[in-house]
Amino acid sequence: MSELMIEIDVLRYRPEMDEKPFTQMFEVPYTPDMSILEALQYIKDHLDSTISFRWSCRMAICGSCGMMVNGVPKLGCKAFLRDYYPKKVSLEPLTNFPIERDLVVVMDDFIKKLEEVKPYIIPEKEKCLSEGTYLQTPEQAAKFKQFSMCINCGLCYAACPQYALDNKFTGPAALALLARYNRDSRDGGEAQRMKIVNQEEGVWGCTFVGYCSVVCPKDVDPAAAIQLLKVESSKDYLIGMFKPE
Amino acid sequence: MSETTEKTYKRSHEPVFWGLFGAGGMLTAFLTPVMILITGILIPLGIINSQNFSYEKIHGFATTWYGAAVIFILVALPLWHTLHRIFHALHDIGINRGRDWQQVICYGFAFAGSVFVFTLLLQML
């Protein structure tokens, strides 16, 4: 019995040898339970060991294996060949990011944006250890839990047409993370973060296309976080009119 | 995180236009289909008596203060909605030259339209 095979196109780019990216086709034995990431591992082990791609956990926790699968941003470990077979699959590095090598992209701008939104709890006032822990009710925790599920895979940046047009835009994941801290009852840093939100490059760079939330593998719904922040920013604008700093 | 000085942040005036856009969008989404249903389908089919929408009836409505207010809101807010959308669509399709002028023309048109309707209704009262 002959093995079932599936064709996989991979966009290759090795900066030291290639002038520009090119497509290389591989034939991989197909099984219905095989993920895109496993297919890439098969290629690396059996067909071409020079191929580069990021991966770690294989279970949609680490956020390393983001790539374009037939033009759609997906995690390699969470996308399966059975959803494409017998058609061929085309794999490309995440769009809107510079290519470092093959399917590996440079994420520096994204990481910088995550750092810029002050993604840590800024307490209202420093509390001594002896004063005990910060208490939080389930209701207070529910206000931010969804926005804390982000794994920084960058799929939403690849999906965002506004980030594609102008990468000064803070972008979906960073703004969702910002919302996560602003909505936390233990946090007192809202005033500092609202300055980031209120800018053109903050929430106002978003035109609510909503594709970020469609591609998010963890159902964070960054588009919702941004629209909620727009409401907050509008309130802040009104208050700012009467109380100039 | 090597920056030692705090970045300067510039507040956007977008909340004003986003507010008008949002309000206009709500009206457009909820009321435009109803208006099309009434004027485009129910009246031509004779299900609603066209005499209810005669010139005298509509004029009478437009010359009351609440009628004028309703008409003003129905015209002005969707206008702001539309031009805000056009302004952003210009950026989306890559027309980035003269963003300032685009803004003046788009919101200027919405403003002029609103003032025009407002004045028209006011002098009819």
Side-chain angles (χ1 to χ4, degrees):
Chain A
M1 201 181 88
S2 66
E3 250 184 322
L4 297 173
M5 302 296 276
I6 184 166
E7 289 177 8
I8 297 179
D9 277 343
V10 180
L11 195 75
R12 300 293 309 269
Y13 177 62
R14 296 151 300 179
E16 74 284 0
M17 337 170 32
D18 307 325
E19 210 165 286
K20 57 181 186 195
F22 65 99
T23 306
Q24 189 177 356
M25 203 268 279
F26 298 97
E27 277 199 55
V28 175
Y30 166 81
T31 55
D33 59 351
M34 198 174 195
S35 70
I36 301 276
L37 177 63
E38 284 173 304
L40 281 167
Q41 287 166 328
Y42 181 90
I43 294 170
K44 194 167 176 79
D45 291 347
H46 302 279
L47 304 176
D48 186 343
S49 60
T50 67
I51 192 166
S52 300
F53 52 95
R54 284 200 184 107
W55 65 281
S56 175
C57 76
R58 295 163 286 125
M59 45 197 258
I61 294 293
C62 74
S64 306
C65 63
M67 63 188 77
M68 305 302 282
V69 182
N70 286 2
V72 177
K74 280 181 187 289
L75 293 180
C77 64
K78 218 180 169 221
F80 290 86
L81 291 180
R82 60 171 177 265
D83 294 323
Y84 303 91
Y85 184 82
K87 294 203 191 91
K88 69 153 92 172
V89 181
S90 117
L91 303 180
E92 288 172 5
L94 279 181
T95 189
N96 299 344
F97 292 95
I99 304 177
E100 189 158 311
R101 183 184 194 86
D102 295 341
L103 297 174
V104 177
V105 294
V106 183
M107 292 205 121
D108 297 8
D109 183 56
F110 171 53
I111 303 298
K112 196 179 109 234
K113 273 160 182 160
L114 285 177
E115 286 174 350
E116 271 172 4
V117 301
K118 303 175 197 278
Y120 36 83
I121 285 180
I122 303 169
E124 203 109 42
K125 60 178 196 324
E126 286 299 331
K127 210 163 126 171
C128 183
L129 271 182
S130 62
E131 291 173 75
T133 52
Y134 291 93
L135 294 177
Q136 197 162 50
T137 65
E139 192 189 359
Q140 287 168 330
K143 267 197 83 178
F144 68 82
K145 180 158 187 277
Q146 182 187 358
F147 301 137
S148 72
M149 302 308 278
C150 176
I151 57 173
N152 305 335
C153 61
L155 299 196
C156 52
Y157 281 71
C160 178
Q162 293 303 336
Y163 184 71
L165 284 170
D166 182 1
N167 69 6
K168 283 205 287 293
F169 176 41
T170 308
L175 287 168
L177 189 63
L178 186 152
R180 176 253 173 275
Y181 284 97
N182 267 11
R183 295 169 74 83
D184 193 320
S185 60
R186 299 163 293 182
D187 181 81
E190 188 173 0
Q192 294 177 43
R193 291 193 205 93
M194 282 317 284
K195 287 183 187 164
I196 302 163
V197 171
N198 292 336
Q199 301 175 99
E200 203 63 53
E201 306 93 281
V203 287
W204 300 111
C206 165
T207 53
F208 200 9
V209 174
Y211 194 34
C212 52
S213 294
V214 175
V215 302
C216 178
K218 304 303 283 184
D219 296 322
V220 172
D221 201 351
I226 296 173
Q227 305 325 302
L228 288 166
L229 282 175
K230 280 185 186 173
V231 176
E232 290 308 315
S233 180
S234 299
K235 283 191 214 159
D236 198 74
Y237 186 87
L238 271 179
I239 294 166
M241 273 165 53
F242 300 106
K243 206 183 74 182
E245 278 162 50
Chain B
M1 298 271 261
S2 56
E3 290 152 73
T4 44
T5 48
E6 180 86 340
K7 234 181 102 182
T8 50
Y9 300 101
K10 193 161 167 271
R11 188 193 275 279
S12 165
H13 293 293
E14 190 77 358
V16 177
F17 304 108
W18 184 68
L20 290 163
F21 165 78
M26 279 287 263
L27 279 182
T28 310
F30 284 112
L31 296 182
T32 315
V34 179
M35 292 196 289
I36 293 171
L37 183 73
I38 294 170
T39 58
I41 297 171
L42 296 180
I43 291 177
L45 288 178
I47 296 168
I48 289 180
N49 185 355
S50 61
Q51 280 312 301
N52 291 329
F53 281 80
S54 67
Y55 175 78
E56 287 73 25
K57 277 266 170 74
I58 297 292
H59 187 269
F61 178 69
T63 46
T64 61
W65 67 267
Y66 62 87
V70 167
I71 291 171
F72 175 68
I73 287 168
L74 275 181
V75 175
L77 286 181
L79 197 59
W80 282 95
H81 174 85
T82 308
L83 282 140
H84 178 84
R85 195 56 260 174
I86 290 172
F87 175 64
H88 280 280
L90 286 172
H91 168 73
D92 294 348
I93 60 174
I95 302 172
N96 285 313
R97 274 180 65 186
R99 279 306 269 170
D100 295 351
W101 278 104
Q102 288 179 21
Q103 197 162 22
V104 168
I105 292 165
C106 286
Y107 296 132
F109 185 78
F111 181 74
S114 307
V115 171
F116 174 70
V117 174
F118 186 79
T119 324
L120 201 66
L121 289 164
L122 204 64
Q123 57 97 26
M124 277 168 69
L125 282 181

